[in-house]
Amino acid sequence: MATVCQIWRPDRGRCLKSYGIIAVLFMDLMLQCVNGSLSTTNVETHYTRDGPFITSPVVPAAASVFPADEDTSKCPSGGLCHRLPADCIQCDYHLKCTYGKPTLFTCRPKKGVHCIGESAQQQTNFSLNITCQFCWQLDPSQYRCTNSTNCMTVSCPRKRYNATCDVLDHVHCLGRRRFPKRLFCNWTGGYKWSTALALSITLGGFGADRFYLGQWREGLGKLFSFGGLGIWTLIDVLLIGVGYVGPADGSLYI
């Protein structure tokens, strides 16, 4: 090709152009090989009777990783392994289970915690039967949440607040044992519905029901207007009876 380029001097640029195209194609081929090797480093190929299939490597669940220096002084030792609290054991959780169905997981006590099996022998590994569900999917009776006293419970629509919930010690679940959740405002300041209704019927004309509920402005209005000449008193009896009028702090009746 060099001889041809020397003969055809006007077309000598074609020789350089051909070499440039070859170099670009070679670099592109090398990049494809490098990308292919990088994309297949974390993939495993298995061969079965039906042919090969590709799976990604197993990654340990975050819930099964615990710091080495975690405090286990509150964990009982010498008891049955399957009765240890969830914070005292380390389980190899996986997501290959059916939701709501009992699944066996391999667990072991944390460092410094000793337990025995049904045969009264010390165990380092044991199987635990756990229902396949995340912690935030548990029944509300199986976790405790913080309660807010800064939201109105008597409102339409009902208001919610951001709560932090912790799973009870004896309950096992997948995922984080502390999780956020939005709950309806549900707290009480100690006001009784029966007391408020009784005051409204007997002393409502003097605003006693409104004073009891902490609504002193409305109470003064009823006091100086003699219960709105009886009309306001009758209306308050109905509103308190159906629970429409509640405590001034926004809490629920008890």
Side-chain angles (χ1 to χ4, degrees), residues 233-252:
T233 302
L234 180 60
I235 293 175
D236 271 358
V237 170
L238 297 176
L239 295 180
I240 293 176
V242 299
Y244 185 82
V245 173
D249 58 4
S251 63
L252 294 175

Side-chain angles (χ1 to χ4, degrees), residues 115-159:
C115 64
I116 59 175
E118 297 293 343
S119 60
Q121 295 181 354
Q122 185 173 346
Q123 290 184 333
T124 56
N125 292 283
F126 60 95
S127 296
L128 189 63
N129 200 1
I130 302 174
T131 304
C132 181
Q133 60 182 348
F134 287 100
C135 295
W136 58 270
Q137 295 174 320
L138 292 172
D139 187 83
S141 62
Q142 296 179 318
Y143 56 82
R144 295 290 181 267
C145 301
T146 57
N147 201 355
S148 176
T149 58
N150 296 323
C151 60
M152 298 291 292
T153 58
V154 183
S155 62
C156 187
R158 292 183 63 187
K159 292 186 178 180

Side-chain angles (χ1 to χ4, degrees), residues 12-142:
R12 183 173 294 179
R14 294 182 179 177
C15 184
L16 297 176
K17 186 176 180 180
S18 300
Y19 282 124
I21 293 174
I22 294 173
V24 170
L25 293 175
F26 180 77
M27 292 179 63
D28 182 71
L29 180 63
M30 292 297 295
L31 290 175
Q32 290 181 3
C33 294
V34 172
N35 291 334
S37 62
L38 291 177
S39 61
T40 57
T41 52
N42 293 330
V43 175
E44 298 177 359
T45 304
H46 303 273
Y47 294 88
T48 62
R49 296 178 180 178
D50 298 331
F53 66 95
I54 300 174
T55 59
S56 59
V58 177
V59 180
S64 63
V65 179
F66 295 92
D69 56 349
E70 188 171 355
D71 183 21
T72 58
S73 59
K74 297 182 179 180
C75 297
S77 291
L80 295 175
C81 293
H82 67 271
R83 292 187 177 181
L84 285 174
D87 293 334
C88 300
I89 61 176
Q90 179 179 353
C91 298
D92 297 327
Y93 294 118
H94 59 80
L95 303 181
K96 297 179 180 179
C97 57
T98 305
Y99 172 75
K101 300 294 183 181
T103 306
L104 286 177
F105 295 95
T106 302
C107 303
R108 53 191 175 275
K110 291 185 180 179
K111 184 177 180 181
V113 180
H114 304 282
C115 64
I116 59 175
E118 297 293 343
S119 60
Q121 295 181 354
Q122 185 173 346
Q123 290 184 333
T124 56
N125 292 283
F126 60 95
S127 296
L128 189 63
N129 200 1
I130 302 174
T131 304
C132 181
Q133 60 182 348
F134 287 100
C135 295
W136 58 270
Q137 295 174 320
L138 292 172
D139 187 83
S141 62
Q142 296 179 318

